[in-house]
Amino acid sequence: MIPVTQPFMPSKKEYEKLLENLWDTKWLTNNGPYVVELEKELSERLAVHNLTYVTNGTLALQLAIKALDLQGEIITTPFSFIATTTSITWEGCKPVFVDIDPTTLSIDPEKIETVVTTNTVAIIATHVFGIPCDVERIEAIANKYNLKVIYDGAHAFGVTYKGRSIFNYGDISTYSFHATKVFHTVEGGGITCANKNLATKIELLRSYGYVGEDYYLPGINAKATEFHAAMGICNLNYIEHNLEKRKEISEFYNKLLPSDIHVIYITENVEYNYAYYPVLFNSEDTLLKIVSELKSKEIQTRRYFYPSLNKLPYLKDNNDCPVSESISKRILCLPLYANLDKKIVKKISDIINSIIEEES
Ligand SMILES: *Cc1c(COP(=O)(O)O)cnc(C)c1O
């Protein structure tokens, strides 16, 4: 089976070498030396203000909401992974969906103002597939209505906009370092924010909200372990190589597949990370046919993202989001990972092309 994604594995020797130390020190968690080192290396590599490493990307979002003391309505995107929405409801806030822009696939700034009420406290947008949101217009709207902005940057590792890390925009940005992401620590997540006091508060919240014998806040346990941090330290040695391979594979798909099904459009001022390779078909029928044909050839694809989150069965009274609803029925992510063989890319593309031709 060709998987839709495959976690990158560093050299086993390299990882074991870092682990040996843990048998000596027995310092396995609680802000250990590998966690501290990974935070430092990541902040340098990404050129971000600070980075707090946590257990996963979902907790990163929840900590962001908690740290900003948000209560009320949060404007968000229906086209994202489910954790973007559930972190809002889990923190007792109400997600209010705004449709997406068909080009960036992220929240459409044009439509944000139509749903702002006196209960609106924040915007949580996703740089979906690593394509930057319209951060400037979102900032202008947030300033006008005094709203906080959180970016779910789970897909955006390494992405820059106008020469600056995309994680330096908004009040808080979050990362996921899950095994399926461009850079991973098996499980893991991170939080970046410009405000130093807020960063300190997030660090406190990550570790029950106390230091020594001083109890400041009701926190949670979102601490990452030394085993996970060590995986991150190893993987960081390969990140440039992996990004280069992803780029090569994505460009090969671009060459083989017709441009009217391409999805990722990157503007000049963006440095992109080739996190996913989505394609968009004319109809859900074509998509289903292609999924089933690829599956019969042992090739896995993923309907990323489907359904549109405003259609979740356990959330009621949501706004209609026709663009997101239509795109989520027709979009499909194809296999993409650093070690994917180009011959497979050719095979996948041939299958897709022949079905598209049949349909037309
Ligand atoms: C993966 C992902 C998350 C959640 O991250 P975890 O580390 O798996 O908890 C959140 N948002 C988006 C957009 C994601 O893709």
Side-chain angles (χ1 to χ4, degrees), residues 13-56:
K13 278 221 176 69
E14 213 176 313
Y15 186 56
E16 279 170 353
K17 197 154 159 252
L18 291 188
L19 294 194
E20 252 169 44
N21 208 27
L22 300 180
W23 263 259
D24 296 335
T25 65
K26 299 173 182 66
W27 189 351
L28 306 184
T29 185
N30 288 1
N31 217 24
Y34 289 152
V35 165
V36 173
E37 182 180 335
L38 181 64
E39 286 180 338
K40 183 166 170 288
E41 284 189 20
L42 282 173
S43 336
E44 280 167 13
R45 164 63 181 77
L46 299 167
V48 291
H49 307 295
N50 51 63
L51 190 152
T52 307
Y53 179 43
V54 297
T55 324
N56 60 60

Side-chain angles (χ1 to χ4, degrees), residues 86-101:
T86 53
S87 61
I88 295 172
T89 52
W90 194 275
E91 291 304 323
C93 296
K94 179 176 164 44
V96 175
F97 295 100
V98 164
D99 211 349
I100 56 170
D101 175 305

Side-chain angles (χ1 to χ4, degrees), residues 56-59 61 80-81 83-84 126 152 154-155 176-178 181 187-188 276 304-305:
N56 60 60
T58 304
L59 266 170
L61 282 165
S80 185
F81 182 58
T84 315
T126 300
D152 180 343
H155 299 174
S176 165
F177 305 134
H178 182 256
K181 309 286 167 112
E187 290 271 3
Y276 295 87
Y304 224 34
F305 293 99

Side-chain angles (χ1 to χ4, degrees), residues 55-74:
T55 324
N56 60 60
T58 304
L59 266 170
L61 282 165
Q62 287 174 222
L63 283 166
I65 296 168
K66 190 71 96 187
L68 291 168
D69 289 319
L70 301 179
Q71 269 164 14
E73 294 173 10
I74 298 181

Side-chain angles (χ1 to χ4, degrees), residues 11-255:
S11 128
K12 199 169 162 192
K13 278 221 176 69
E14 213 176 313
Y15 186 56
E16 279 170 353
K17 197 154 159 252
L18 291 188
L19 294 194
E20 252 169 44
N21 208 27
L22 300 180
W23 263 259
D24 296 335
T25 65
K26 299 173 182 66
W27 189 351
L28 306 184
T29 185
N30 288 1
N31 217 24
Y34 289 152
V35 165
V36 173
E37 182 180 335
L38 181 64
E39 286 180 338
K40 183 166 170 288
E41 284 189 20
L42 282 173
S43 336
E44 280 167 13
R45 164 63 181 77
L46 299 167
V48 291
H49 307 295
N50 51 63
L51 190 152
T52 307
Y53 179 43
V54 297
T55 324
N56 60 60
T58 304
L59 266 170
L61 282 165
Q62 287 174 222
L63 283 166
I65 296 168
K66 190 71 96 187
L68 291 168
D69 289 319
L70 301 179
Q71 269 164 14
E73 294 173 10
I74 298 181
I75 293 171
T76 192
T77 174
F79 192 69
S80 185
F81 182 58
I82 190 156
T84 315
T85 295
T86 53
S87 61
I88 295 172
T89 52
W90 194 275
E91 291 304 323
C93 296
K94 179 176 164 44
V96 175
F97 295 100
V98 164
D99 211 349
I100 56 170
D101 175 305
T103 310
T104 64
L105 304 184
S106 291
I107 201 162
D108 187 345
E110 202 73 49
K111 296 177 182 144
I112 292 178
E113 288 187 79
T114 64
V115 302
V116 173
T117 71
T118 51
N119 294 325
T120 309
V121 290
I123 300 167
I124 300 187
T126 300
H127 304 298
V128 76
F129 303 134
I131 309 167
C133 294
D134 190 338
V135 288
E136 279 141 3
R137 284 170 74 199
I138 291 174
E139 185 177 325
I141 295 165
N143 288 342
K144 182 170 168 189
Y145 295 97
N146 195 22
L147 306 176
K148 300 291 182 192
V149 177
I150 297 172
Y151 287 112
D152 180 343
H155 299 174
F157 187 92
V159 173
T160 68
Y161 175 67
K162 293 190 174 167
R164 229 174 119 199
S165 169
I166 198 69
F167 290 93
N168 284 334
Y169 292 85
D171 292 283
I172 299 185
S173 293
T174 64
Y175 311 72
S176 165
F177 305 134
H178 182 256
T180 57
K181 309 286 167 112
V182 167
F183 167 81
H184 81 89
T185 68
V186 187
E187 290 271 3
I191 304 170
T192 282
C193 63
N195 182 315
K196 191 74 198 92
N197 292 336
L198 194 56
T200 307
K201 184 175 180 187
I202 289 165
E203 271 177 43
L204 255 177
L205 287 172
R206 167 178 71 171
S207 191
Y208 317 101
Y210 82 95
V211 182
E213 288 176 358
D214 294 317
Y215 292 77
Y216 297 96
L217 290 162
I220 197 161
N221 178 2
K223 293 177 280 110
T225 77
E226 291 294 280
F227 287 79
H228 293 88
M231 186 60 127
I233 291 168
C234 291
N235 279 344
L236 207 47
N237 295 330
Y238 300 86
I239 188 71
E240 308 305 333
H241 171 260
N242 285 346
L243 290 173
E244 195 49 47
K245 295 293 278 185
R246 284 174 171 276
K247 179 174 185 206
E248 256 176 51
I249 294 162
S250 302
E251 285 175 352
F252 195 46
Y253 270 128
N254 280 344
K255 214 171 80 182

